[in-house]
Amino acid sequence: MLAKYVARRFLASVVVILGVTLITLVLMNTTRGSYVPGIDLNPALRPEDIARLRASLGLDRPFYEWYLGWLWSVLHGDFGRSMIDGSPVMAHILDRLPNTLELTTTAIVIGVLISVPLGVIGALRRGSKTDHALTVVSVAGFAVPQFWMGLMLILIFSVTLQQHGLPWLPSSGAFSAYNGGDFFDRLLHLILPATVLSFFYTSIWSRFIRSSMLEVLSQDYIRTARAKGMSERRVVYLHGLRNALIPLITLIGLELPGLVSGGLVVEVVFGWPGIGKLAFERALQYDYSTVMGVTFFATLLVIAGNLLADLLYGVLDPRIRYG
Amino acid sequence: MTQPLLEVQDLHTVFRTKDGVVKAVDGVSFELTPGETLGIVGESGCGKSVTALSIMRLQRPGRIVSGKVMFKGQDLTRLTESEMREIRGKEIAMIFQDPMTSLNPVFNVGWQVGEPTRLHNGWGAKRALASAVSMLGRVGIPSAAARAEDYPHQFSGGMRQRAMIAMGLTMTPEVLIADEPTTALDVTIQAQILDLLRHVNREFGTATILITHNLGVVAGMCQRVIVMYAGRVVESGPTPDVFAHPKHPYTWSLLRSIPRLDAEKHEPLRPIEGVPPNLIDLPSGCVFHPRCAFRIDRCTRDVPALLQINDTQHAACWVTQAGGELKGA
Amino acid sequence: MIGPSRVAELDMPAVGIETGAARPAQSYWNESWERLRANRFGMAAGALILVLALIALLAPVFSLITNVQPQSINLDETFVRPGLRHLLGTDELGRDTLTRLIWGARVSLGVAFLTVAMSLTVGSTVGMVSGFYGGWIDDVLMRFVDVVLSIPAIFLFILMSLLLRPNAITLAAIVASVGWGSVARLVRGEVLSVKQRDFILATRSIGARDMRLMLRHLLPNVLPVLIVAASLGVGQIILIESALDFLGLGIQPPTPSWGNMLTNSQSYFFRSGFLVAFPGITIFITVLASNLFGNAVRDAFDPRLKS
């Protein structure tokens, strides 16, 4: 029954979230005893300031009180305040979140749109030169460091093209500061970062689709389909692919933490104003509470994404839907 | 003399493997007359399934290297793929052994049973579904309209097989090939499915090829039977005759190795000695000779052809062709 | 015996078909080693990693011979193109790129191996205990793993770098603190499937204690999976670690690592493309070798999984 399945997955997610909050606070707890991150970098801080800082962060209260207080704030959308300027972390997150979502979902969509055809081709032409070539490209693809790929693409498509007076692709920001901001401008800015982010996963997913298709095509029901007299195309794409895609959803769910992590690196390289870049900038300034808040939020994103994937899986696989 | 509906003539299908060429079907010939039920019996690996798949041209990755399959005046081995698709599911249908894995888990049963009509008749979804529901009812599935919306995993084993049979018959084919239709089912359900197949054969007049390794099934269902061994037909004839006086030592040994209600008490079961041959490296002469209780010198050298032994039976055996009797050894 | 993959090709149910020649019985490990040896690409990849490790170890010797240190600044020779004097050119402070790459190998490979060792140790212990005992222990441990794996790793690493100024060892510990999770899941899966097998029951029935069962019977069966994970893991860790170094949150300059050699690269894009290319290519080649070797090892242990 779909409802039961969804409820179960949701409950599991809640448990995981609670676990994450625990880890989050254990981490924060390691510092609250004596050390406030970054405090030794600012010699101008007087003891009173330090005490005030600690009080505002709740570091002088017993652990469980602090934990509950923190949970309470989080439930109300208060993810803490910046240690630098006291501004609410949530405000910063909400400001940058759309950009991160834009980048991440585009990368996933590109990844799926490219890896599925490649995987299918690899499966159908198994053992052929095309298949070998695709395999080689895939294996190479997940050996490339994402940040370096970003740098190289910027070097080639921004710097070098610009140097030679050719039209070039923008390499930073989500849109141009001057007369920019329209759809096309945003699209241009999205190209390089989304390509880099999706490249790694396209390699993995195309291999996966290939083996999933191979497995599906060796199933008995494919033989039955052929025996009914349908075209090979219908056998492969209607009967076969429909089954082969289902495990991909689970895989994407499992890869989400990696995607969000990779998103941070890509955002930094391309100056993309998302929550990853936010965390990085604030980390450089030792703004521990902001980084903490963003980390927790990013984890929530991952968990939500997983829940979405589970739901999708439940909808697409009738064995789950009608248990 | 009725014209045979399907005539397999000296069919050879091989598989190329790393270790050599496997002659899965090694010169098989038989006929099927309209409306009859023919049994193909033999051990696992003897080539009976591959023969059936070859008729349907679904034998990949194997290759049909020679022989003919005559159906309504056409040689099926020579047809193009798209011509063959006209025949599959429409004039010759095939159902398989394990209905759980033979049905697509992501589409509901009604949709799958109706698919042949959408493919071959170009019917729309509604009409196809209606005919599917009607077919499901005819194979004995209760509340067919509701059940048609269910998915294969929601059906029981027996019902799934009924659904497969419905799927095979939905275009009222002239030939139905059933590859071990009951092997994956419980014994009580087996009987029901066999009843259904018998009923279908009577009501629709569909000629049926029933492939099985179970002699009991053959005895209850098939008018004629052919016995296969190592890719060849070693015996053929009307079922009662073959069972009463088999004319090939392999059939003879098979019959002796199964427990029978009418056997003498204390009579030991006799398994056939030896193991099935390696299809890449077949024995010389008669393939069965290493395990044969009746072999003579000639059997190790010359390959016997399938020849008529008496009015009704054919066998590929030097001993019986020479008039020898197969009696207790 | 015609193996399982061949039978599938025959499209017939498996049967005891006998081939003529009888092969001598071999242990699983011997057979796997033979298969691995037959895989030329895989062996080449493994050899490459060994060579790189060797180069890394011998870095000081290299510097002794060439008389070039990785930290030697020479402001007269910045951004030199690859040539005879500096085989791969120099960077923005005139330091020789090739020397820095070689020394960087010490860091990258060192951290990677250390991390893998830590991840595998912790992960396999947790996985074995979890899979072996089952019940609430399993539930709790696996929930914990779920939690750890849900947090996007880089964010966690950033946090931890703020807390512990990373050197090579603490960096390895930081990366391992997430990495053990997938190892634990993997090992638990293997343990669960091995647990089913009858020989475990048989061994128990002769009175073997838990610890003995785990160490002497489960562990050897779990080892193949661990070896594959280790081979593939080296590459994955190098990718993560170099990303951290690049962000400035890992190994700090002036100690060269392949990642931190790229940290400021965006500022000298226009001066030298080589500087951007070389460290990345090095990472790429190393990770590729690790992936290829890992795949080869996996195929060697379980040829049925080959596509």
Side-chain angles (χ1 to χ4, degrees), chain C residues 24-53:
Chain C
Q26 274 185 314
S27 80
Y28 177 56
W29 290 92
N30 278 338
E31 264 191 14
S32 303
W33 173 241
E34 291 296 314
R35 279 192 287 257
L36 181 60
R37 270 203 351 188
N39 184 339
R40 278 169 311 167
F41 269 126
M43 289 302 280
L48 182 59
I49 304 230
L50 271 176
V51 166
L52 285 169

Side-chain angles (χ1 to χ4, degrees), chain A:
Chain A
M1 276 275 83
L2 189 59
K4 266 209 304 201
Y5 170 73
V6 170
R8 247 186 313 132
R9 298 307 308 152
F10 186 72
L11 232 65
S13 302
V14 169
V15 170
V16 172
I17 291 176
L18 283 178
V20 172
T21 60
L22 211 54
I23 291 197
T24 302
L25 269 92
V26 165
L27 273 177
M28 290 183 80
N29 199 42
T30 62
T31 72
R32 90 193 177 101
S34 52
Y35 171 68
V36 176
I39 212 158
D40 47 353
L41 294 172
N42 193 342
L45 278 179
R46 298 161 306 182
E48 311 91 82
D49 295 326
I50 297 179
R52 206 174 6 106
L53 206 58
R54 287 169 51 102
S56 76
L57 291 172
L59 294 176
D60 50 356
R61 281 182 280 156
F63 183 71
Y64 68 89
E65 216 186 284
W66 185 42
Y67 180 61
L68 288 169
W70 189 86
L71 262 184
W72 185 247
S73 323
V74 160
L75 277 169
H76 283 75
D78 176 8
F79 275 50
R81 291 180 172 272
S82 161
M83 279 169 66
I84 299 175
D85 55 12
S87 52
V89 174
M90 199 46 157
H92 291 287
I93 292 178
L94 288 178
D95 194 35
R96 317 277 197 112
L97 183 60
N99 295 323
T100 296
L101 288 178
E102 182 186 330
L103 180 61
T104 315
T105 38
T106 308
I108 295 180
V109 167
I110 294 180
V112 171
L113 286 179
I114 296 186
S115 62
V116 169
L118 287 185
V120 171
I121 293 177
L124 292 181
R125 299 196 209 285
R126 172 186 173 177
S128 71
K129 286 212 173 68
T130 320
D131 182 29
H132 282 307
L134 284 175
T135 305
V136 166
V137 169
S138 296
V139 171
F142 49 85
V144 177
Q146 278 184 319
F147 68 94
W148 181 69
M149 184 180 178
L151 293 173
M152 291 303 286
L153 286 189
I154 291 179
L155 187 63
I156 297 174
F157 290 100
S158 272
V159 173
T160 314
L161 285 183
Q162 196 173 16
Q163 276 181 328
H164 292 265
L166 295 163
W168 76 96
L169 283 171
S171 65
S172 81
F175 54 88
S176 299
Y178 315 113
N179 57 314
D182 64 350
F183 178 73
F184 187 63
D185 182 45
R186 288 192 78 102
L187 197 65
L188 272 183
H189 279 86
L190 192 53
I191 294 178
L192 286 181
T195 305
V196 172
L197 189 53
S198 64
F199 186 71
F200 186 78
Y201 295 98
T202 305
S203 307
I204 297 180
W205 295 344
S206 63
R207 291 267 289 179
F208 182 78
I209 293 277
R210 180 184 177 278
S211 60
S212 185
M213 271 303 273
L214 282 176
E215 200 190 306
V216 163
L217 289 178
S218 71
Q219 295 294 316
D220 288 343
Y221 55 81
I222 295 295
R223 188 180 49 179
T224 306
R226 290 197 181 112
K228 290 202 248 185
M230 68 183 74
S231 66
E232 192 62 16
R233 169 177 276 156
R234 189 184 162 97
V235 171
V236 168
Y237 292 103
L238 184 57
H239 284 259
L241 194 56
R242 180 78 176 63
N243 277 277
L245 284 179
I246 295 178
L248 182 65
I249 296 173
T250 313
L251 184 66
I252 295 181
L254 284 174
E255 304 263 7
L256 276 177
L259 259 167
V260 174
S261 281
L264 186 151
V265 176
V266 169
E267 283 181 13
V268 170
V269 169
F270 285 92
W272 188 268
I275 63 176
K277 182 152 179 290
L278 173 68
F280 178 66
E281 288 166 347
R282 294 306 174 112
L284 290 180
Q285 300 170 53
Y286 286 92
D287 186 354
Y288 194 80
S289 47
T290 305
V291 179
M292 194 80 250
V294 176
T295 302
F296 185 64
F297 189 82
T299 312
L300 287 179
L301 265 184
V302 167
I303 295 176
N306 256 306
L307 201 55
L308 201 65
D310 285 337
L311 239 135
L312 202 57
Y313 182 84
V315 164
L316 287 177
D317 188 339
R319 286 164 289 197
I320 308 276
R321 225 191 320 162
Y322 307 102

Side-chain angles (χ1 to χ4, degrees), chain C residues 174-218:
Chain C
I174 289 176
V175 178
S177 69
V178 172
W180 68 268
S182 15
V183 176
R185 272 199 189 147
L186 206 60
V187 169
R188 173 183 175 271
E190 278 300 302
V191 169
L192 284 181
S193 78
V194 171
K195 219 170 63 156
Q196 315 271 34
R197 294 197 228 150
D198 290 335
F199 77 86
I200 295 292
L201 192 59
T203 315
R204 259 202 214 273
S205 69
I206 61 170
R209 283 203 333 262
D210 287 347
M211 192 64 161
R212 182 185 176 81
L213 261 180
M214 280 202 278
L215 284 179
R216 296 217 54 209
H217 295 275
L218 283 180

